[in-house]
Amino acid sequence: MKTFAEWLAFIERQHPKTIALGLERVAEVWRRMQVELRCPVITVGGTNGKGSCCAMFEAMLRAGGYKTGLYTSPHLVRYNERVRIGGVEASDASLCESFAAVDAARTDVPLTYFEYGTLAALWLFARDKMEAAVLEVGLGGRLDAVNILDADCAVLTSIGIDHVDYLGADRESIGREKAGIFRAGGRP
């Protein structure tokens, strides 16, 4: 059984690239995990202000009495900051359990650190039966791991010039990639 520190070191080594945009790998592992998040999902993308927007949504939902899951990145001090359940950071033990669940389903599929963490957070939210989930996009939107879920509410904060190697060289191209979290017609 791996310690929390061993899990973090392990997931850092599971993909040859730090950033590898695309939904195929992460969607396949999510399907293999055979869990479903059965609550409204709010996805927040953009360049600046995503974390603040997510914190505001979490606070409003919690004030309304909802059991919320919040997934953000990056963390400032401890990895646990990325995953909050009911306003409380996920414990090392629960994160270890979720990493093990991802690893069991992953088998030979290489996942980035962010993809691994996203799936682990979603697994915890499904297991703990969240009543609402707030997910912060890591990079971009259209091809970001959190976009494997259809959001009930998708929000874009300000759009600036960022990650031009992945998203495009101008605000319009970057905005188009970030707007990939929207779904035509919404959920049925």
Side-chain angles (χ1 to χ4, degrees), residues 104-135:
R106 180 184 69 85
T107 60
D108 61 339
V109 178
L111 294 173
T112 66
Y113 187 79
F114 182 78
E115 290 168 337
Y116 222 105
T118 300
L119 290 170
L122 296 177
W123 184 86
L124 283 172
F125 296 167
R127 182 196 72 179
D128 291 354
K129 297 178 177 40
M130 295 297 100
E131 296 172 325
V134 180
L135 310 175

PDB file of all heavy atoms in Angstrom, residues 104-135:
ATOM      1  N   ALA A 104      -6.435   1.212 -10.636  1.00  0.00           N
ATOM      2  CA  ALA A 104      -7.026  -0.098 -10.954  1.00  0.00           C
ATOM      3  C   ALA A 104      -7.741  -0.052 -12.303  1.00  0.00           C
ATOM      4  O   ALA A 104      -7.705  -1.034 -13.063  1.00  0.00           O
ATOM      5  CB  ALA A 104      -7.984  -0.521  -9.848  1.00  0.00           C
ATOM      6  N   ALA A 105      -8.392   1.064 -12.609  1.00  0.00           N
ATOM      7  CA  ALA A 105      -9.109   1.192 -13.876  1.00  0.00           C
ATOM      8  C   ALA A 105      -8.178   1.569 -15.026  1.00  0.00           C
ATOM      9  O   ALA A 105      -8.424   1.226 -16.174  1.00  0.00           O
ATOM     10  CB  ALA A 105     -10.211   2.242 -13.738  1.00  0.00           C
ATOM     11  N   ARG A 106      -7.120   2.263 -14.711  1.00  0.00           N
ATOM     12  CA  ARG A 106      -6.193   2.778 -15.719  1.00  0.00           C
ATOM     13  C   ARG A 106      -5.458   1.670 -16.449  1.00  0.00           C
ATOM     14  O   ARG A 106      -5.260   1.737 -17.654  1.00  0.00           O
ATOM     15  CB  ARG A 106      -5.189   3.714 -15.031  1.00  0.00           C
ATOM     16  CG  ARG A 106      -4.163   4.327 -15.944  1.00  0.00           C
ATOM     17  CD  ARG A 106      -3.170   5.136 -15.145  1.00  0.00           C
ATOM     18  NE  ARG A 106      -2.311   4.329 -14.321  1.00  0.00           N
ATOM     19  CZ  ARG A 106      -1.188   3.766 -14.741  1.00  0.00           C
ATOM     20  NH1 ARG A 106      -0.785   3.925 -15.979  1.00  0.00           N
ATOM     21  NH2 ARG A 106      -0.453   3.038 -13.924  1.00  0.00           N
ATOM     22  N   THR A 107      -5.040   0.671 -15.746  1.00  0.00           N
ATOM     23  CA  THR A 107      -4.190  -0.410 -16.264  1.00  0.00           C
ATOM     24  C   THR A 107      -3.063   0.166 -17.101  1.00  0.00           C
ATOM     25  O   THR A 107      -2.133   0.731 -16.562  1.00  0.00           O
ATOM     26  CB  THR A 107      -5.010  -1.486 -17.012  1.00  0.00           C
ATOM     27  OG1 THR A 107      -5.685  -0.921 -18.118  1.00  0.00           O
ATOM     28  CG2 THR A 107      -6.001  -2.166 -16.073  1.00  0.00           C
ATOM     29  N   ASP A 108      -3.145   0.073 -18.434  1.00  0.00           N
ATOM     30  CA  ASP A 108      -2.038   0.494 -19.301  1.00  0.00           C
ATOM     31  C   ASP A 108      -2.208   1.895 -19.891  1.00  0.00           C
ATOM     32  O   ASP A 108      -1.385   2.324 -20.691  1.00  0.00           O
ATOM     33  CB  ASP A 108      -1.880  -0.509 -20.435  1.00  0.00           C
ATOM     34  CG  ASP A 108      -3.124  -0.606 -21.307  1.00  0.00           C
ATOM     35  OD1 ASP A 108      -4.219  -0.226 -20.837  1.00  0.00           O
ATOM     36  OD2 ASP A 108      -3.011  -1.064 -22.461  1.00  0.00           O
ATOM     37  N   VAL A 109      -3.242   2.622 -19.524  1.00  0.00           N
ATOM     38  CA  VAL A 109      -3.486   3.950 -20.092  1.00  0.00           C
ATOM     39  C   VAL A 109      -2.626   4.986 -19.362  1.00  0.00           C
ATOM     40  O   VAL A 109      -2.761   5.162 -18.151  1.00  0.00           O
ATOM     41  CB  VAL A 109      -4.980   4.336 -19.984  1.00  0.00           C
ATOM     42  CG1 VAL A 109      -5.212   5.745 -20.524  1.00  0.00           C
ATOM     43  CG2 VAL A 109      -5.853   3.323 -20.709  1.00  0.00           C
ATOM     44  N   PRO A 110      -1.751   5.688 -20.079  1.00  0.00           N
ATOM     45  CA  PRO A 110      -0.942   6.718 -19.428  1.00  0.00           C
ATOM     46  C   PRO A 110      -1.773   7.968 -19.165  1.00  0.00           C
ATOM     47  O   PRO A 110      -2.448   8.472 -20.063  1.00  0.00           O
ATOM     48  CB  PRO A 110       0.167   7.005 -20.446  1.00  0.00           C
ATOM     49  CG  PRO A 110      -0.438   6.661 -21.773  1.00  0.00           C
ATOM     50  CD  PRO A 110      -1.429   5.555 -21.514  1.00  0.00           C
ATOM     51  N   LEU A 111      -1.760   8.446 -17.936  1.00  0.00           N
ATOM     52  CA  LEU A 111      -2.492   9.656 -17.565  1.00  0.00           C
ATOM     53  C   LEU A 111      -1.516  10.703 -17.055  1.00  0.00           C
ATOM     54  O   LEU A 111      -0.538  10.365 -16.382  1.00  0.00           O
ATOM     55  CB  LEU A 111      -3.506   9.361 -16.448  1.00  0.00           C
ATOM     56  CG  LEU A 111      -4.665   8.432 -16.779  1.00  0.00           C
ATOM     57  CD1 LEU A 111      -5.463   8.124 -15.518  1.00  0.00           C
ATOM     58  CD2 LEU A 111      -5.567   9.037 -17.844  1.00  0.00           C
ATOM     59  N   THR A 112      -1.804  11.970 -17.341  1.00  0.00           N
ATOM     60  CA  THR A 112      -1.001  13.044 -16.781  1.00  0.00           C
ATOM     61  C   THR A 112      -1.363  13.206 -15.305  1.00  0.00           C
ATOM     62  O   THR A 112      -2.377  12.691 -14.833  1.00  0.00           O
ATOM     63  CB  THR A 112      -1.247  14.379 -17.511  1.00  0.00           C
ATOM     64  OG1 THR A 112      -2.591  14.793 -17.280  1.00  0.00           O
ATOM     65  CG2 THR A 112      -0.949  14.277 -18.997  1.00  0.00           C
ATOM     66  N   TYR A 113      -0.558  13.954 -14.613  1.00  0.00           N
ATOM     67  CA  TYR A 113      -0.788  14.265 -13.192  1.00  0.00           C
ATOM     68  C   TYR A 113      -2.175  14.888 -13.010  1.00  0.00           C
ATOM     69  O   TYR A 113      -2.941  14.506 -12.128  1.00  0.00           O
ATOM     70  CB  TYR A 113       0.313  15.222 -12.752  1.00  0.00           C
ATOM     71  CG  TYR A 113       0.391  15.557 -11.289  1.00  0.00           C
ATOM     72  CD1 TYR A 113       0.969  14.674 -10.382  1.00  0.00           C
ATOM     73  CD2 TYR A 113      -0.061  16.782 -10.820  1.00  0.00           C
ATOM     74  CE1 TYR A 113       1.094  15.013  -9.041  1.00  0.00           C
ATOM     75  CE2 TYR A 113       0.059  17.128  -9.476  1.00  0.00           C
ATOM     76  CZ  TYR A 113       0.630  16.232  -8.598  1.00  0.00           C
ATOM     77  OH  TYR A 113       0.747  16.564  -7.270  1.00  0.00           O
ATOM     78  N   PHE A 114      -2.517  15.852 -13.879  1.00  0.00           N
ATOM     79  CA  PHE A 114      -3.811  16.523 -13.787  1.00  0.00           C
ATOM     80  C   PHE A 114      -4.954  15.562 -14.081  1.00  0.00           C
ATOM     81  O   PHE A 114      -5.982  15.572 -13.397  1.00  0.00           O
ATOM     82  CB  PHE A 114      -3.858  17.734 -14.730  1.00  0.00           C
ATOM     83  CG  PHE A 114      -5.146  18.496 -14.635  1.00  0.00           C
ATOM     84  CD1 PHE A 114      -5.381  19.372 -13.585  1.00  0.00           C
ATOM     85  CD2 PHE A 114      -6.134  18.344 -15.595  1.00  0.00           C
ATOM     86  CE1 PHE A 114      -6.576  20.075 -13.486  1.00  0.00           C
ATOM     87  CE2 PHE A 114      -7.326  19.044 -15.509  1.00  0.00           C
ATOM     88  CZ  PHE A 114      -7.545  19.904 -14.451  1.00  0.00           C
ATOM     89  N   GLU A 115      -4.810  14.734 -15.099  1.00  0.00           N
ATOM     90  CA  GLU A 115      -5.868  13.768 -15.433  1.00  0.00           C
ATOM     91  C   GLU A 115      -6.095  12.792 -14.283  1.00  0.00           C
ATOM     92  O   GLU A 115      -7.235  12.486 -13.932  1.00  0.00           O
ATOM     93  CB  GLU A 115      -5.500  13.009 -16.708  1.00  0.00           C
ATOM     94  CG  GLU A 115      -5.544  13.863 -17.952  1.00  0.00           C
ATOM     95  CD  GLU A 115      -4.904  13.197 -19.156  1.00  0.00           C
ATOM     96  OE1 GLU A 115      -4.048  12.293 -18.996  1.00  0.00           O
ATOM     97  OE2 GLU A 115      -5.256  13.595 -20.280  1.00  0.00           O
ATOM     98  N   TYR A 116      -5.017  12.311 -13.712  1.00  0.00           N
ATOM     99  CA  TYR A 116      -5.093  11.388 -12.575  1.00  0.00           C
ATOM    100  C   TYR A 116      -5.845  12.053 -11.420  1.00  0.00           C
ATOM    101  O   TYR A 116      -6.754  11.471 -10.825  1.00  0.00           O
ATOM    102  CB  TYR A 116      -3.677  11.032 -12.124  1.00  0.00           C
ATOM    103  CG  TYR A 116      -3.459   9.591 -11.785  1.00  0.00           C
ATOM    104  CD1 TYR A 116      -2.765   8.758 -12.658  1.00  0.00           C
ATOM    105  CD2 TYR A 116      -3.917   9.050 -10.600  1.00  0.00           C
ATOM    106  CE1 TYR A 116      -2.536   7.436 -12.343  1.00  0.00           C
ATOM    107  CE2 TYR A 116      -3.691   7.723 -10.279  1.00  0.00           C
ATOM    108  CZ  TYR A 116      -3.006   6.924 -11.162  1.00  0.00           C
ATOM    109  OH  TYR A 116      -2.786   5.613 -10.851  1.00  0.00           O
ATOM    110  N   GLY A 117      -5.448  13.284 -11.118  1.00  0.00           N
ATOM    111  CA  GLY A 117      -6.086  14.013 -10.030  1.00  0.00           C
ATOM    112  C   GLY A 117      -7.545  14.314 -10.291  1.00  0.00           C
ATOM    113  O   GLY A 117      -8.383  14.258  -9.375  1.00  0.00           O
ATOM    114  N   THR A 118      -7.875  14.637 -11.535  1.00  0.00           N
ATOM    115  CA  THR A 118      -9.270  14.910 -11.898  1.00  0.00           C
ATOM    116  C   THR A 118     -10.126  13.679 -11.674  1.00  0.00           C
ATOM    117  O   THR A 118     -11.191  13.747 -11.046  1.00  0.00           O
ATOM    118  CB  THR A 118      -9.362  15.371 -13.366  1.00  0.00           C
ATOM    119  OG1 THR A 118      -8.589  16.559 -13.531  1.00  0.00           O
ATOM    120  CG2 THR A 118     -10.803  15.623 -13.772  1.00  0.00           C
ATOM    121  N   LEU A 119      -9.679  12.547 -12.169  1.00  0.00           N
ATOM    122  CA  LEU A 119     -10.444  11.308 -11.999  1.00  0.00           C
ATOM    123  C   LEU A 119     -10.568  10.924 -10.526  1.00  0.00           C
ATOM    124  O   LEU A 119     -11.624  10.461 -10.088  1.00  0.00           O
ATOM    125  CB  LEU A 119      -9.795  10.173 -12.799  1.00  0.00           C
ATOM    126  CG  LEU A 119      -9.916  10.302 -14.309  1.00  0.00           C
ATOM    127  CD1 LEU A 119      -9.038   9.263 -15.003  1.00  0.00           C
ATOM    128  CD2 LEU A 119     -11.363  10.180 -14.760  1.00  0.00           C
ATOM    129  N   ALA A 120      -9.510  11.134  -9.770  1.00  0.00           N
ATOM    130  CA  ALA A 120      -9.543  10.817  -8.338  1.00  0.00           C
ATOM    131  C   ALA A 120     -10.582  11.689  -7.630  1.00  0.00           C
ATOM    132  O   ALA A 120     -11.362  11.200  -6.804  1.00  0.00           O
ATOM    133  CB  ALA A 120      -8.164  11.006  -7.717  1.00  0.00           C
ATOM    134  N   ALA A 121     -10.617  12.978  -7.958  1.00  0.00           N
ATOM    135  CA  ALA A 121     -11.597  13.880  -7.349  1.00  0.00           C
ATOM    136  C   ALA A 121     -13.011  13.476  -7.733  1.00  0.00           C
ATOM    137  O   ALA A 121     -13.908  13.415  -6.871  1.00  0.00           O
ATOM    138  CB  ALA A 121     -11.322  15.319  -7.775  1.00  0.00           C
ATOM    139  N   LEU A 122     -13.239  13.194  -9.003  1.00  0.00           N
ATOM    140  CA  LEU A 122     -14.581  12.798  -9.446  1.00  0.00           C
ATOM    141  C   LEU A 122     -15.022  11.503  -8.777  1.00  0.00           C
ATOM    142  O   LEU A 122     -16.195  11.350  -8.413  1.00  0.00           O
ATOM    143  CB  LEU A 122     -14.614  12.664 -10.970  1.00  0.00           C
ATOM    144  CG  LEU A 122     -14.366  13.946 -11.762  1.00  0.00           C
ATOM    145  CD1 LEU A 122     -14.350  13.653 -13.260  1.00  0.00           C
ATOM    146  CD2 LEU A 122     -15.386  15.012 -11.419  1.00  0.00           C
ATOM    147  N   TRP A 123     -14.094  10.574  -8.600  1.00  0.00           N
ATOM    148  CA  TRP A 123     -14.415   9.311  -7.917  1.00  0.00           C
ATOM    149  C   TRP A 123     -14.869   9.591  -6.483  1.00  0.00           C
ATOM    150  O   TRP A 123     -15.857   9.034  -6.017  1.00  0.00           O
ATOM    151  CB  TRP A 123     -13.203   8.385  -7.946  1.00  0.00           C
ATOM    152  CG  TRP A 123     -13.445   7.037  -7.352  1.00  0.00           C
ATOM    153  CD1 TRP A 123     -13.967   5.940  -7.982  1.00  0.00           C
ATOM    154  CD2 TRP A 123     -13.195   6.643  -5.992  1.00  0.00           C
ATOM    155  NE1 TRP A 123     -14.047   4.887  -7.098  1.00  0.00           N
ATOM    156  CE2 TRP A 123     -13.577   5.287  -5.875  1.00  0.00           C
ATOM    157  CE3 TRP A 123     -12.677   7.296  -4.883  1.00  0.00           C
ATOM    158  CZ2 TRP A 123     -13.454   4.581  -4.689  1.00  0.00           C
ATOM    159  CZ3 TRP A 123     -12.558   6.591  -3.695  1.00  0.00           C
ATOM    160  CH2 TRP A 123     -12.940   5.260  -3.606  1.00  0.00           C
ATOM    161  N   LEU A 124     -14.136  10.476  -5.794  1.00  0.00           N
ATOM    162  CA  LEU A 124     -14.520  10.832  -4.424  1.00  0.00           C
ATOM    163  C   LEU A 124     -15.890  11.507  -4.392  1.00  0.00           C
ATOM    164  O   LEU A 124     -16.712  11.213  -3.526  1.00  0.00           O
ATOM    165  CB  LEU A 124     -13.481  11.752  -3.789  1.00  0.00           C
ATOM    166  CG  LEU A 124     -12.205  11.087  -3.305  1.00  0.00           C
ATOM    167  CD1 LEU A 124     -11.179  12.136  -2.879  1.00  0.00           C
ATOM    168  CD2 LEU A 124     -12.493  10.136  -2.160  1.00  0.00           C
ATOM    169  N   PHE A 125     -16.147  12.409  -5.332  1.00  0.00           N
ATOM    170  CA  PHE A 125     -17.434  13.097  -5.366  1.00  0.00           C
ATOM    171  C   PHE A 125     -18.576  12.105  -5.604  1.00  0.00           C
ATOM    172  O   PHE A 125     -19.639  12.223  -5.003  1.00  0.00           O
ATOM    173  CB  PHE A 125     -17.451  14.173  -6.453  1.00  0.00           C
ATOM    174  CG  PHE A 125     -16.483  15.306  -6.234  1.00  0.00           C
ATOM    175  CD1 PHE A 125     -16.204  16.191  -7.263  1.00  0.00           C
ATOM    176  CD2 PHE A 125     -15.834  15.512  -5.021  1.00  0.00           C
ATOM    177  CE1 PHE A 125     -15.327  17.252  -7.089  1.00  0.00           C
ATOM    178  CE2 PHE A 125     -14.939  16.563  -4.829  1.00  0.00           C
ATOM    179  CZ  PHE A 125     -14.690  17.430  -5.883  1.00  0.00           C
ATOM    180  N   ALA A 126     -18.350  11.138  -6.477  1.00  0.00           N
ATOM    181  CA  ALA A 126     -19.381  10.122  -6.732  1.00  0.00           C
ATOM    182  C   ALA A 126     -19.568   9.229  -5.508  1.00  0.00           C
ATOM    183  O   ALA A 126     -20.690   8.960  -5.083  1.00  0.00           O
ATOM    184  CB  ALA A 126     -18.995   9.289  -7.959  1.00  0.00           C
ATOM    185  N   ARG A 127     -18.475   8.797  -4.922  1.00  0.00           N
ATOM    186  CA  ARG A 127     -18.556   7.917  -3.744  1.00  0.00           C
ATOM    187  C   ARG A 127     -19.266   8.591  -2.587  1.00  0.00           C
ATOM    188  O   ARG A 127     -20.086   7.971  -1.898  1.00  0.00           O
ATOM    189  CB  ARG A 127     -17.146   7.504  -3.308  1.00  0.00           C
ATOM    190  CG  ARG A 127     -17.163   6.543  -2.108  1.00  0.00           C
ATOM    191  CD  ARG A 127     -15.846   6.433  -1.424  1.00  0.00           C
ATOM    192  NE  ARG A 127     -15.562   7.664  -0.680  1.00  0.00           N
ATOM    193  CZ  ARG A 127     -14.473   7.866   0.042  1.00  0.00           C
ATOM    194  NH1 ARG A 127     -13.544   6.936   0.105  1.00  0.00           N
ATOM    195  NH2 ARG A 127     -14.281   8.992   0.690  1.00  0.00           N
ATOM    196  N   ASP A 128     -18.966   9.859  -2.364  1.00  0.00           N
ATOM    197  CA  ASP A 128     -19.526  10.585  -1.227  1.00  0.00           C
ATOM    198  C   ASP A 128     -20.848  11.270  -1.545  1.00  0.00           C
ATOM    199  O   ASP A 128     -21.350  12.053  -0.741  1.00  0.00           O
ATOM    200  CB  ASP A 128     -18.511  11.601  -0.707  1.00  0.00           C
ATOM    201  CG  ASP A 128     -17.311  10.932  -0.048  1.00  0.00           C
ATOM    202  OD1 ASP A 128     -17.315   9.693   0.117  1.00  0.00           O
ATOM    203  OD2 ASP A 128     -16.359  11.644   0.289  1.00  0.00           O
ATOM    204  N   LYS A 129     -21.402  10.960  -2.723  1.00  0.00           N
ATOM    205  CA  LYS A 129     -22.736  11.417  -3.120  1.00  0.00           C
ATOM    206  C   LYS A 129     -22.925  12.932  -2.963  1.00  0.00           C
ATOM    207  O   LYS A 129     -23.779  13.400  -2.216  1.00  0.00           O
ATOM    208  CB  LYS A 129     -23.816  10.640  -2.374  1.00  0.00           C
ATOM    209  CG  LYS A 129     -23.802   9.158  -2.709  1.00  0.00           C
ATOM    210  CD  LYS A 129     -24.837   8.398  -1.930  1.00  0.00           C
ATOM    211  CE  LYS A 129     -24.915   6.933  -2.284  1.00  0.00           C
ATOM    212  NZ  LYS A 129     -23.735   6.208  -2.518  1.00  0.00           N
ATOM    213  N   MET A 130     -22.100  13.662  -3.711  1.00  0.00           N
ATOM    214  CA  MET A 130     -22.216  15.118  -3.704  1.00  0.00           C
ATOM    215  C   MET A 130     -23.583  15.543  -4.241  1.00  0.00           C
ATOM    216  O   MET A 130     -24.167  14.860  -5.074  1.00  0.00           O
ATOM    217  CB  MET A 130     -21.141  15.756  -4.586  1.00  0.00           C
ATOM    218  CG  MET A 130     -19.721  15.555  -4.115  1.00  0.00           C
ATOM    219  SD  MET A 130     -19.371  16.309  -2.526  1.00  0.00           S
ATOM    220  CE  MET A 130     -19.486  14.900  -1.462  1.00  0.00           C
ATOM    221  N   GLU A 131     -24.059  16.663  -3.758  1.00  0.00           N
ATOM    222  CA  GLU A 131     -25.301  17.237  -4.272  1.00  0.00           C
ATOM    223  C   GLU A 131     -25.022  18.312  -5.321  1.00  0.00           C
ATOM    224  O   GLU A 131     -25.923  18.730  -6.039  1.00  0.00           O
ATOM    225  CB  GLU A 131     -26.120  17.825  -3.123  1.00  0.00           C
ATOM    226  CG  GLU A 131     -26.571  16.755  -2.143  1.00  0.00           C
ATOM    227  CD  GLU A 131     -27.222  17.326  -0.908  1.00  0.00           C
ATOM    228  OE1 GLU A 131     -26.801  18.408  -0.438  1.00  0.00           O
ATOM    229  OE2 GLU A 131     -28.160  16.676  -0.408  1.00  0.00           O
ATOM    230  N   ALA A 132     -23.778  18.741  -5.418  1.00  0.00           N
ATOM    231  CA  ALA A 132     -23.323  19.683  -6.449  1.00  0.00           C
ATOM    232  C   ALA A 132     -21.809  19.585  -6.532  1.00  0.00           C
ATOM    233  O   ALA A 132     -21.132  19.396  -5.519  1.00  0.00           O
ATOM    234  CB  ALA A 132     -23.736  21.112  -6.117  1.00  0.00           C
ATOM    235  N   ALA A 133     -21.290  19.700  -7.751  1.00  0.00           N
ATOM    236  CA  ALA A 133     -19.843  19.656  -7.956  1.00  0.00           C
ATOM    237  C   ALA A 133     -19.407  20.893  -8.730  1.00  0.00           C
ATOM    238  O   ALA A 133     -20.044  21.269  -9.721  1.00  0.00           O
ATOM    239  CB  ALA A 133     -19.439  18.397  -8.723  1.00  0.00           C
ATOM    240  N   VAL A 134     -18.328  21.515  -8.267  1.00  0.00           N
ATOM    241  CA  VAL A 134     -17.746  22.682  -8.920  1.00  0.00           C
ATOM    242  C   VAL A 134     -16.357  22.276  -9.387  1.00  0.00           C
ATOM    243  O   VAL A 134     -15.517  21.876  -8.570  1.00  0.00           O
ATOM    244  CB  VAL A 134     -17.675  23.892  -7.958  1.00  0.00           C
ATOM    245  CG1 VAL A 134     -17.070  25.097  -8.679  1.00  0.00           C
ATOM    246  CG2 VAL A 134     -19.055  24.222  -7.387  1.00  0.00           C
ATOM    247  N   LEU A 135     -16.121  22.388 -10.698  1.00  0.00           N
ATOM    248  CA  LEU A 135     -14.875  21.916 -11.291  1.00  0.00           C
ATOM    249  C   LEU A 135     -14.164  23.052 -12.000  1.00  0.00           C
ATOM    250  O   LEU A 135     -14.740  23.710 -12.873  1.00  0.00           O
ATOM    251  CB  LEU A 135     -15.159  20.798 -12.297  1.00  0.00           C
ATOM    252  CG  LEU A 135     -16.051  19.647 -11.828  1.00  0.00           C
ATOM    253  CD1 LEU A 135     -16.329  18.701 -12.991  1.00  0.00           C
ATOM    254  CD2 LEU A 135     -15.421  18.928 -10.665  1.00  0.00           C
TER     255      LEU A 135
END
